[in-house]
């Protein structure tokens, strides 16, 4: 029987794995697709202390290498639920069941969809949720970015270097993003802001040809000729499979010890109800969760 199953291989899960190996807990990390999580989609990370600038891909590879060098076992499979049996946890996957004393849920989150006509139809044909992945396809073209948070503005700054003209469509007249990102974006010549505006429709034939936006203040609609629409309007937690207490958006509620409403089940990183979702905060969560799991296992004897 295992001491710990970590679900999810992003920064929170891999950090929990590193700590668990050092605590000598018998651990398996389960990952659905690719180890690394959302960090891998980030062009450049500039707020990981000690490294002024590093690509998301490289930082996540370093996390993985570190965890593996300590002997962390990584397996692939999708978790469908967590049951209880004789005071132990049973992690149910598409391939079977795993018995464990404790579980850390570190499944992160995924981009939120806007739900406008054309969004699903043109996904992969001009509609994207990842600038780093799809940006190079729009070299020299005109594109539009929706959102005013850190992700939207960071991605807009990155994309502005590749594309001809870039429109940022934001529903308010003020950005939510960090001030340093705002200042950088405002100083870039090929970025134009469309304030107090909503993207209402994406149109085209074989691919995106234009986006229709609605200005809430003037009440007017405008068609903008673009070949790419990048949507960054927040994130949805990957927590559907686990039956623990969550907030109104589905993020898992924990206390400061990362304990969820169910004994022996901990949560860490972006899937948790937390005021800040960063690599730095995910890593801190992962360390605490592994420490608490170790304490729990020690108490169980
Ligand atoms: P976010 O901060 O929640 O921002 C979402 C943005 O989308 C907001 O500007 C919001 O507008 C807008 N929005 C939401 N629903 C919308 C809708 N239906 N229609 C139009 N606009 C909509 O999400 P995020 O930018 O993905 O960031 C998530 C977390 O990751 C945050 O904690 C962020 O700080 C962190 N992050 C940090 C970095 C970094 O480099 N430090 C990079 C990326 C992400 P309103 O502003 O009007 O609400």
């Amino acid at each position: 029987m295992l001491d710990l199953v970590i679900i999810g291989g992003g920064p929170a899960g891999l950090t929990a794995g590193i700590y668990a190996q050092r605590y000598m807990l018998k651990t398996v990390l389960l990952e659905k697709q690719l180890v690394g999580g959302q960090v891998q989609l980030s062009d450049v990370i500039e707020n990981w202390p000690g490294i002024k600038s590093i690509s998301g891909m490289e930082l996540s590879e370093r996390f993985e290498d570190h965890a593996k060098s300590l002997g962390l076992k990584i397996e692939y499979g999708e978790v469908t639920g967590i049951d209880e049996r004789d005071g132990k946890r049973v992690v149910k996957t598409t391939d079977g069941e795993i018995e464990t004393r404790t579980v850390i849920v570190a499944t992160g989150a995924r981009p939120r969809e806007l739900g406008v006509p054309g969004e699903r139809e043109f996904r992969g044909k001009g509609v994207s949720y990842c600038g780093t992945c799809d940006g190079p396809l729009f070299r020299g073209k005109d594109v539009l970015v929706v959102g005013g948070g850190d992700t939207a503005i960071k991605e807009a700054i990155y994309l502005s270097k590749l594309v001809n003209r870039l429109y940022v469509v934001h529903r308010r007249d003020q950005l939510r993003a960090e001030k340093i990102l705002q200042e950088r974006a405002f100083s870039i010549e090929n970025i134009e802001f469309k304030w107090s505006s909503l993207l209402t429709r994406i149109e085209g034939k074989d691919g995106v040809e234009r986006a229709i936006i609605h200005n809430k203040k003037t009440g007017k609609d405008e068609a903008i000729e673009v070949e790419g629409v990048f949507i960054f309007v927040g994130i949805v937690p990957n927590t559907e499979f686990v039956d623990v207490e969550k907030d109104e958006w589905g993020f898992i509620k924990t206390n400061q010890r990362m304990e969820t409403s169910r004994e022996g089940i901990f949560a860490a990183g972006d899937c948790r109800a937390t005021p800040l979702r960063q690599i730095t905060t995910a890593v801190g969560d992962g360390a605490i969760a592994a420490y608490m799991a170790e304490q729990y296992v020690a108490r169980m004897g």
Side-chain angles (χ1 to χ4, degrees):
M1 197 187 40
L2 294 171
D3 292 321
L4 170 64
V5 169
I6 300 164
I7 310 172
L14 287 170
T15 304
I18 289 169
Y19 276 71
Q21 289 305 115
R22 292 166 60 86
Y23 292 135
M24 297 192 185
L25 294 177
K26 224 173 136 196
T27 304
V28 164
L29 184 149
L30 285 176
E31 168 59 51
K32 188 161 97 176
Q33 287 166 325
L34 271 179
V35 173
Q38 291 194 104
V39 183
Q40 282 197 320
L41 307 179
S42 211
D43 168 40
V44 61
I45 311 287
E46 293 179 330
N47 51 7
W48 178 254
I51 304 178
K52 283 188 195 139
S53 180
I54 186 169
S55 78
M57 191 68 85
E58 190 183 344
L59 186 60
S60 75
E61 278 169 9
R62 288 200 198 180
F63 287 167
E64 185 181 350
D65 283 350
H66 189 171
K68 281 185 173 163
S69 74
L70 294 170
L72 179 67
K73 213 169 146 199
I74 299 177
E75 290 178 5
Y76 292 86
E78 186 170 353
V79 176
T80 54
I82 307 170
D83 277 354
E84 236 83 25
R85 194 185 297 148
D86 307 326
K88 288 157 206 131
R89 267 37 65 190
V90 181
V91 177
K92 299 201 286 185
T93 76
T94 41
D95 300 322
E97 291 185 349
I98 308 170
E99 272 204 0
T100 174
R101 291 183 169 87
T102 61
V103 176
I104 295 175
V105 180
T107 42
R110 60 182 184 274
R112 175 184 293 136
E113 293 182 7
L114 265 183
V116 296
E119 184 178 10
R120 287 259 169 105
E121 187 186 342
F122 293 114
R123 191 173 187 157
K125 295 178 193 159
V127 172
S128 169
Y129 302 84
C130 177
T132 322
C133 322
D134 300 327
L137 303 172
F138 298 91
R139 213 174 279 276
K141 297 178 175 165
D142 291 352
V143 302
L144 182 147
V145 164
V146 186
D150 283 339
T151 306
I153 301 310
K154 251 186 108 169
E155 296 277 341
I157 292 167
Y158 166 72
L159 288 167
S160 70
K161 295 177 209 145
L162 302 173
V163 303
N164 177 48
R165 184 141 205 84
L166 185 147
Y167 302 90
V168 175
V169 176
H170 183 41
R171 63 181 176 186
R172 290 185 295 134
D173 56 7
Q174 206 182 347
L175 297 176
R176 177 185 294 278
E178 281 177 345
K179 287 283 179 293
I180 188 166
L181 291 173
Q182 295 195 23
E183 276 176 23
R184 239 183 259 172
F186 292 149
S187 72
I188 297 174
E189 276 184 6
N190 65 339
I191 298 185
E192 182 179 329
F193 285 85
K194 297 284 186 186
W195 300 109
S196 307
S197 295
L198 297 172
L199 173 69
T200 53
R201 212 163 60 245
I202 302 163
E203 295 179 347
K205 280 199 199 94
D206 300 328
V208 172
E209 290 173 12
R210 77 193 68 79
I212 314 297
I213 64 166
H214 175 78
N215 186 308
K216 293 195 289 181
K217 287 204 170 142
T218 63
K220 286 193 178 139
D221 285 349
E222 183 186 352
I224 307 181
E225 305 288 321
V226 286
E227 288 177 60
V229 173
F230 288 84
I231 298 170
F232 306 111
V233 294
I235 53 171
V236 180
N238 299 317
T239 56
E240 293 87 351
F241 69 94
V242 56
D243 184 17
V244 290
E245 241 181 73
K246 298 171 195 168
D247 70 10
E248 57 185 306
W249 301 283
F251 292 97
I252 299 173
K253 286 189 183 174
T254 70
N255 59 17
Q256 62 176 356
R257 292 186 291 277
M258 307 300 144
E259 292 163 335
T260 69
S261 57
R262 277 170 66 187
E263 202 180 302
I265 303 181
F266 304 84
D270 281 9
C271 66
R272 193 171 80 81
T274 169
L276 187 61
R277 294 193 174 82
Q278 305 272 299
I279 307 167
T280 45
T281 54
V283 158
D285 282 7
I288 296 172
Y291 174 67
M292 295 317 303
E294 194 271 336
Q295 300 273 298
Y296 185 89
V297 169
R299 274 203 311 277
M300 270 180 95

